[in-house]
Amino acid sequence: MASNTKKESTPAAGPSQISSGDGLNEDTVGQVRELTDVEKARMQDGAAHFNRLGWKRLTVVLIVEAIALGSLGMPQAFATLGMVAGTILCVGLGLLAIYSSYVVGQVKLKYPHVEHYADAGKLIMGRFGYELIGAMFVLQLTFLLGSHTLTGSIAFIQLSNSGICSIIFGVVSAIILLLLAIPPSFTEVAILGYIDFASIIIAIGVTIIATGIQRTDIGMASDWSAWPAKDAGFVEAFIAVTNIVFAYSFAICQFSFMDEMHTPKDFVKSIWVLGIIEIIIYTLTGALIYAFVGQGVKSPALLSAGTLISKIAFGVALPVIFISGSINGTVVARYIHGRIYRDSVTRFINTPKGWVSWILLITLITVTAWVIAEAIPFFSDLLAISSSLFVSGFTFYFPAMMWFMLIRQGSPFSRENLVWTALNLLCFVVGLVVLVGGTYSSIMDIMHHYEAHDVRGAFSCSSAE
């Protein structure tokens, strides 16, 4: 396996002193030597500040990034796919995502200068890969940030039960996301992560208990089925599959998070803990709420718990909406900021210029995300398309390519590599299937919404779904 000695011997871990997307060259070395003593001290302090993440806090940060209200969309996926297929996919895709995340971690150990996913893209596809994956990285995380502004708006509408325009709630959501994204270190995010995790667990628990009590009061079994819904076509079924796939998309930010670890080799503990927690939460949430509610289950499932309980659940879920959303803004800002100021002390965000540039960048990203989410009538489907195009790669086929091109030792058909070759081929194929099937299904869903005239207007006061 790859060695981590380089990372542990480098005092300036995350953001590394090696520039984002480039190796350490003579020009960089020359520029560092010309720094003043004060700037050198600032760089050392900054490197130390961004090198405090242990495996437990990495697990919490990954949970913040990975587990959000999307988990409450699992029951509807189960309703489409059936209990058997839903359970198999939740467990199987979860295990596959843990393995692909392991490959990502191995790449980070072998190439410690990799700070973000775009840097890994350069290793496998040169400058083109760096720019392509960098663009995918920025677009996907910005879209996710926009999605959380809309989700926050929906939550406030549910809680207030007023006629206030949803755009106002969207602005409030964007401001909250902006404020939470200001701390640049993921160590600070980990502190909020405990609140985030408690929030989603309580929201799910309230929903499961409420739907179970309602079913008991009704006094008859729901119409859940072990098999796929009879009226589910390819598009509906594949959208349900992609919802499960996207729930395991934690590898997209893993390079960024690992760049702050003081002991990078401990990442294996984090991904196993996260993966098992995700598999348990997604499978139990999907199976239990679907069993209690039946085919009429809504997404997010807490809307199926009744008016009062839905309000309570949305209120409890507010922290996870905003904390999980804000980390997307922090990650994409760290990538852009590190790229702009890669050879400057400014990148460590511990000088007046560093803080001013950081806050302005976070503000620009958040406003852009809000405008995109509000301005595009079919934003939810656009997010599904971007996820199909991008997450399929970040989670499955890019890690498979990394194993073949960066990690593998010897022939892929040698006896010691046969199992790993098969596993990585499976990851690659799953990624391509999601890429093609998910994109096609999302486009068809957009067409269906337009034909049904249920596409919201740009900057509409009605809540987006």
Side-chain angles (χ1 to χ4, degrees):
M1 290 297 177
S3 170
N4 66 308
T5 54
K6 291 183 181 179
K7 175 71 176 183
E8 293 181 333
S9 63
T10 303
S16 311
Q17 290 194 15
I18 297 173
S19 30
S20 179
D22 296 289
L24 188 63
N25 52 44
E26 292 181 0
D27 294 334
T28 303
V29 173
Q31 186 169 351
V32 170
R33 286 176 180 169
E34 294 174 1
L35 293 174
T36 66
D37 291 340
V38 174
E39 288 175 322
K40 289 180 181 179
R42 289 283 191 181
M43 293 188 79
Q44 289 175 351
D45 291 343
H49 181 72
F50 289 103
N51 192 26
R52 299 178 295 151
L53 205 63
W55 77 266
K56 294 178 182 177
R57 284 192 172 183
L58 173 63
T59 305
V60 174
V61 172
L62 285 169
I63 287 173
V64 170
E65 188 265 331
I67 304 177
L69 281 187
S71 57
L72 287 168
M74 287 296 169
Q76 192 173 72
F78 272 61
T80 302
L81 299 170
M83 191 72 77
V84 173
T87 301
I88 292 173
L89 284 171
C90 265
V91 176
L93 289 173
L95 292 173
L96 202 59
I98 292 173
Y99 173 72
S100 67
S101 183
Y102 175 75
V103 173
V104 167
Q106 289 296 306
V107 173
K108 175 62 180 173
L109 295 184
K110 188 173 182 179
Y111 302 92
H113 66 275
V114 172
E115 298 179 26
H116 301 282
Y117 219 118
D119 301 320
K122 186 172 186 179
L123 291 175
I124 58 177
M125 291 184 286
R127 186 72 188 186
F128 171 76
Y130 176 65
E131 299 297 347
L132 173 66
I133 294 180
M136 293 167 60
F137 186 76
V138 171
L139 282 173
Q140 181 63 20
L141 293 179
T142 303
F143 283 176
L144 285 174
L145 183 59
S147 175
H148 279 264
T149 67
L150 292 184
T151 304
S153 175
I154 294 171
F156 284 134
I157 290 171
Q158 290 289 327
L159 290 170
S160 67
N161 198 27
S162 67
I164 297 176
C165 179
S166 65
I167 294 178
I168 304 298
F169 287 129
V171 171
V172 174
S173 297
I175 292 172
I176 296 172
L177 288 164
L178 166 63
L179 294 175
L180 289 173
I182 287 176
S185 171
F186 300 124
T187 305
E188 280 83 20
V189 175
I191 297 172
L192 293 174
Y194 296 103
I195 301 172
D196 177 279
F197 186 58
S199 170
I200 191 61
I201 291 298
I202 295 172
I204 290 173
V206 167
T207 305
I208 291 174
I209 293 171
T211 53
I213 291 174
Q214 289 173 0
R215 179 52 54 187
T216 302
D217 292 342
I218 292 173
M220 59 182 293
S222 70
D223 58 347
W224 71 272
S225 171
W227 312 114
K230 294 180 180 179
D231 59 345
F234 175 83
V235 171
E236 294 78 12
F238 213 92
I239 287 176
V241 171
T242 53
N243 285 339
I244 298 175
V245 170
F246 303 152
Y248 290 109
S249 60
F250 51 87
I252 183 173
C253 296
Q254 188 177 332
F255 283 118
S256 307
F257 297 154
M258 285 185 65
D259 204 52
E260 285 197 17
M261 292 189 74
H262 54 68
T263 312
K265 65 182 180 181
D266 287 345
F267 84 93
V268 179
K269 303 174 187 176
S270 298
I271 62 172
W272 270 109
V273 172
L274 170 68
I276 291 171
I277 289 174
E278 280 196 302
I279 290 171
I280 292 173
I281 289 177
Y282 295 157
T283 306
L284 289 181
T285 301
L288 290 176
I289 296 179
Y290 173 45
F292 291 146
V293 179
Q295 292 295 331
V297 67
K298 299 178 182 179
S299 181
L302 50 82
L303 293 173
S304 301
T307 305
L308 177 61
I309 300 300
S310 292
K311 288 181 181 294
I312 294 173
F314 264 117
V316 171
L318 283 177
V320 74
I321 293 172
F322 294 117
I323 297 173
S324 288
S326 66
I327 199 170
N328 296 302
T330 303
V331 172
V332 72
R334 280 279 296 275
Y335 167 67
I336 296 173
H337 195 269
R339 230 186 126 157
I340 295 172
Y341 299 107
R342 62 187 177 188
D343 296 325
S344 168
V345 68
T346 304
R347 72 189 304 235
F348 292 102
I349 316 171
N350 59 356
T351 63
K353 181 180 178 181
W355 276 109
V356 170
S357 60
W358 173 255
I359 293 173
L360 287 175
L361 181 59
I362 285 287
T363 302
L364 177 62
I365 291 169
T366 306
V367 171
T368 301
W370 175 79
V371 169
I372 291 173
E374 290 284 358
I376 299 177
F378 51 91
F379 176 76
S380 295
D381 288 298
L382 179 64
L383 180 63
I385 291 175
S386 70
S387 296
S388 299
L389 290 172
F390 304 153
V391 173
S392 56
F394 290 128
T395 305
F396 293 113
Y397 62 80
F398 285 150
M401 291 172 64
M402 290 176 199
W403 183 84
F404 281 107
M405 300 175 69
L406 305 176
I407 301 298
R408 174 181 56 84
Q409 296 179 352
S411 169
F413 304 107
S414 63
R415 180 177 299 179
E416 60 271 17
N417 281 334
L418 276 179
V419 173
W420 305 115
T421 297
L423 194 53
N424 283 281
L425 282 175
L426 176 62
C427 283
F428 189 79
V429 170
V430 168
L432 291 184
V433 169
V434 173
L435 170 66
V436 177
T439 304
Y440 169 79
S441 298
S442 299
I443 292 173
M444 294 300 294
D445 200 43
I446 290 176
M447 295 172 62
H448 170 73
H449 284 312
Y450 267 102
E451 291 172 357
H453 303 290
D454 60 356
V455 176
R456 69 184 179 92
F459 294 101
S460 171
C461 277
S462 60
S463 62
E465 295 182 359

